[in-house]
């Protein structure tokens, strides 16, 4: 037999140019899209598979985004909700770059602070949120403005 069987190819074809976010913990794909603020309204072609077999992590989700490259900084925040994720940059059908996501030292703009009295929640003072990473494992981040600490389970509420 020639090429190795690949479970996701049964569901979604290879893409020509874009990003494949692989090894996402099962059922977390929609959370990853929310984190990246991809709603579908941008007109990007997005493919999503949930709960497919993975040799590395048991069961996984995969997202393929065609026609758009995100910067390494934009992609690194995926580690907040999908620490096992692998990013593949695809150009002309080939994987030209592959790396694991890692929580950055600070996270700007992507998350809301849950403290209603935080300056970032004042309606008339639009301030870009900023959280500083205190610990990666376990995940602990801290609002740069009000000092509130957040853990992994808070992240979905902050999207
Ligand atoms: N992929 C794709 N389109 C391409 C090339 C790759 O959608 N033109 C997808 C593959 O289906 C796979 C991921 O990108 O989900 C990574 O591709 P590749 O590195 O070829 O696969 P593996 O070696 O299985 O990856 P890993 O070692 O990271 O598990
Ligand atoms: Zn705050």
């Amino acid at each position: 037999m020639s090429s190795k069987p690949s479970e996701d190819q049964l569901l979604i074809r290879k893409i020509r140019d874009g990003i494949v976010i692989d090894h996402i913990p099962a059922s977390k794909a929609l959370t990853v899209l929310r984190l990246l603020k991809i709603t579908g309204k941008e007109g990007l072609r997005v493919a999503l598979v949930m709960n497919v077999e993975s040799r590395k992590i048991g069961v996984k989700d995969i997202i393929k985004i065609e026609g758009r490259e995100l910067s390494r900084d934009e992609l690194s925040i995926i580690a907040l909700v999908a620490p096992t994720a692998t990013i593949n940059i695809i150009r002309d059908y080939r994987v030209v770059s592959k790396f694991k996501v890692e929580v950055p030292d600070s996270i700007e703009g992507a998350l809301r602070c849950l403290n209603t009295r935080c300056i970032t929640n004042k309606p008339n003072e639009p301030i870009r949120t900023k959280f500083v990473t205190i610990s990666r494992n376990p995940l602990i981040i801290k609002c740069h403005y009000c000092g509130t600490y957040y853990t992994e389970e808070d992240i979905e509420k902050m999207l």
Side-chain angles (χ1 to χ4, degrees):
M1 283 295 155
S2 53
S3 63
K4 62 175 178 173
S6 169
E7 67 286 347
D8 60 301
Q9 282 171 2
L10 300 173
L11 293 166
I12 318 180
R13 64 172 179 77
K14 300 222 161 202
I15 62 171
R16 178 168 178 175
D17 294 291
I19 305 159
V20 175
I21 308 167
D22 200 355
H23 306 113
I24 300 169
S27 85
K28 289 285 185 186
L30 290 173
T31 308
V32 170
L33 286 179
R34 280 179 69 203
L35 187 65
L36 295 175
K37 304 206 188 321
I38 292 173
T39 64
K41 299 216 171 84
E42 304 79 16
L44 292 172
R45 180 143 48 155
V46 178
L48 190 152
V49 215
M50 295 177 90
N51 300 317
V52 294
E53 294 71 29
S54 159
R55 262 166 293 153
K56 284 181 192 154
I57 60 169
V59 186
K60 68 176 179 180
D61 290 0
I62 307 169
I63 297 170
K64 300 190 183 190
I65 303 166
E66 264 192 301
R68 171 151 166 211
E69 282 197 15
L70 295 161
S71 71
R72 215 171 158 124
D73 281 354
E74 289 173 286
L75 292 164
S76 62
I77 57 170
I78 291 171
L80 293 168
V81 296
T84 52
T86 313
I87 307 294
N88 299 273
I89 309 293
I90 314 292
R91 284 192 205 131
D92 204 13
Y93 290 106
R94 282 204 299 272
V95 178
V96 295
S97 171
K98 184 192 285 279
F99 55 91
K100 298 194 96 172
V101 293
E102 196 185 323
V103 176
D105 292 339
S106 70
I107 301 122
E108 293 184 44
L111 304 172
R112 289 184 299 119
C113 182
L114 299 180
N115 172 10
T116 50
R117 286 181 305 185
C118 180
I119 190 165
T120 61
N121 286 318
K122 292 241 175 82
N124 300 324
E125 255 174 289
I127 291 186
R128 199 173 147 81
T129 62
K130 179 175 176 179
F131 298 86
V132 179
T133 300
I134 305 297
S135 155
R136 289 184 171 80
N137 195 11
L139 182 70
I140 302 169
I141 61 174
K142 178 183 159 190
C143 177
H144 172 72
Y145 293 100
C146 72
T148 305
Y149 286 88
Y150 296 102
T151 63
E152 195 181 342
E153 52 199 48
D154 298 316
I155 302 292
E156 290 216 27
K157 290 173 248 160
M158 299 166 79
L159 294 176

